[in-house]
């Protein structure tokens, strides 16, 4: 599928809300695969604990959910100038958020979609890009085979 400015405008339009990337029906094993993939990829990744940059030597994803009981935890991944953020909200769904104001070019949109494709491949599950907090309204779906459907 060719990503054009039309796709950019219809998926990453600026309406004051974020876009969410979801992988639904997951467990801690899926979360661990996701975290291992992210941490071993050559990406700019920053972890925050209560808003302060922190270094996590811990590699067990369950630790992040334990920490979340008492602290605000954020993992921020910089892909071509677009921050893809994870707050570890729920053990049964993986959720990342993207600010559409940061997606200013087709190249940046392709970076987000490539992240989704790799996420689907690593987990063997669909990834979904939706409006903030509305996973049932799919703007983009990446299938298990890597094909991408843009619903615009």
């Amino acid at each position: 599928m060719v990503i054009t400015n039309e796709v950019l405008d219809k998926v990453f339009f600026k309406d004051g809300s974020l876009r969410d990337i979801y992988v639904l029906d997951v467990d801690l094993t899926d979360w661990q695969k996701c975290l291992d993939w992210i941490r071993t990829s050559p990406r700019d990744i920053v972890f925050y604990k209560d808003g302060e940059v922190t270094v996590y030597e811990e590699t067990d994803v369950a630790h992040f959910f334990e920490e979340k009981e008492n602290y605000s935890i954020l993992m921020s991944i910089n892909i071509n100038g677009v921050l893809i953020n994870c707050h570890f909200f729920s053990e049964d769904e993986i959720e990342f958020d993207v600010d559409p104001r940061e997606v200013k070019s087709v190249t940046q949109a392709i970076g987000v979609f490539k992240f989704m494709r790799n996420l689907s491949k690593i987990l063997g599950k669909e990834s979904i890009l939706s409006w903030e907090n509305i996973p049932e309204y799919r703007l983009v779906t990446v299938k298990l085979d890597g094909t991408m459907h843009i619903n615009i």
Side-chain angles (χ1 to χ4, degrees), residues 113 116-118 120-121 125-129 138 140-149:
F113 298 145
M116 291 176 65
R117 276 194 184 108
N118 288 333
S120 290
K121 180 180 176 184
K125 298 178 184 256
E126 283 185 341
S127 61
I128 301 160
L129 181 74
R138 299 172 178 215
V140 177
T141 303
V142 176
K143 300 290 186 181
L144 304 181
D145 64 1
T147 58
M148 187 170 67
H149 301 280

Side-chain angles (χ1 to χ4, degrees), residues 47-54 56 67-68 70-74:
F47 289 92
Y48 297 88
K49 182 176 180 178
D50 282 347
E52 299 290 323
V53 174
T54 191
Y56 279 103
E67 285 271 279
K68 196 177 145 332
N70 299 307
Y71 305 99
S72 169
I73 306 298
L74 170 67

Side-chain angles (χ1 to χ4, degrees), residues 17-97:
S17 71
L18 299 174
R19 299 296 172 272
D20 287 336
I21 298 170
Y22 290 98
V23 179
L24 304 173
D25 300 318
V26 301
D27 57 24
L28 284 180
T29 301
D30 296 313
W31 266 106
Q32 191 65 55
K33 286 179 193 174
C34 177
L35 184 63
D36 290 346
W37 164 64
I38 289 168
R39 290 188 94 167
T40 58
S41 300
R43 293 190 173 88
D44 182 15
I45 303 165
V46 179
F47 289 92
Y48 297 88
K49 182 176 180 178
D50 282 347
E52 299 290 323
V53 174
T54 191
V55 175
Y56 279 103
E57 298 298 329
E58 180 63 52
T59 59
D60 183 7
V61 75
H63 178 76
F64 290 93
F65 286 102
E66 291 167 12
E67 285 271 279
K68 196 177 145 332
E69 295 296 320
N70 299 307
Y71 305 99
S72 169
I73 306 298
L74 170 67
M75 175 177 61
S76 189
I77 308 159
N78 186 330
I79 298 178
N80 297 329
V82 176
L83 297 179
I84 298 178
N85 298 304
C86 178
H87 300 273
F88 300 92
F89 288 133
S90 171
E91 291 181 18
D92 61 0
E93 70 181 21
I94 295 173
E95 179 184 343
F96 295 91
D97 64 51

Side-chain angles (χ1 to χ4, degrees), residues 92-106:
D92 61 0
E93 70 181 21
I94 295 173
E95 179 184 343
F96 295 91
D97 64 51
V98 176
D99 187 335
R101 294 175 298 181
E102 294 178 356
V103 185
K104 299 173 185 164
S105 70
V106 169

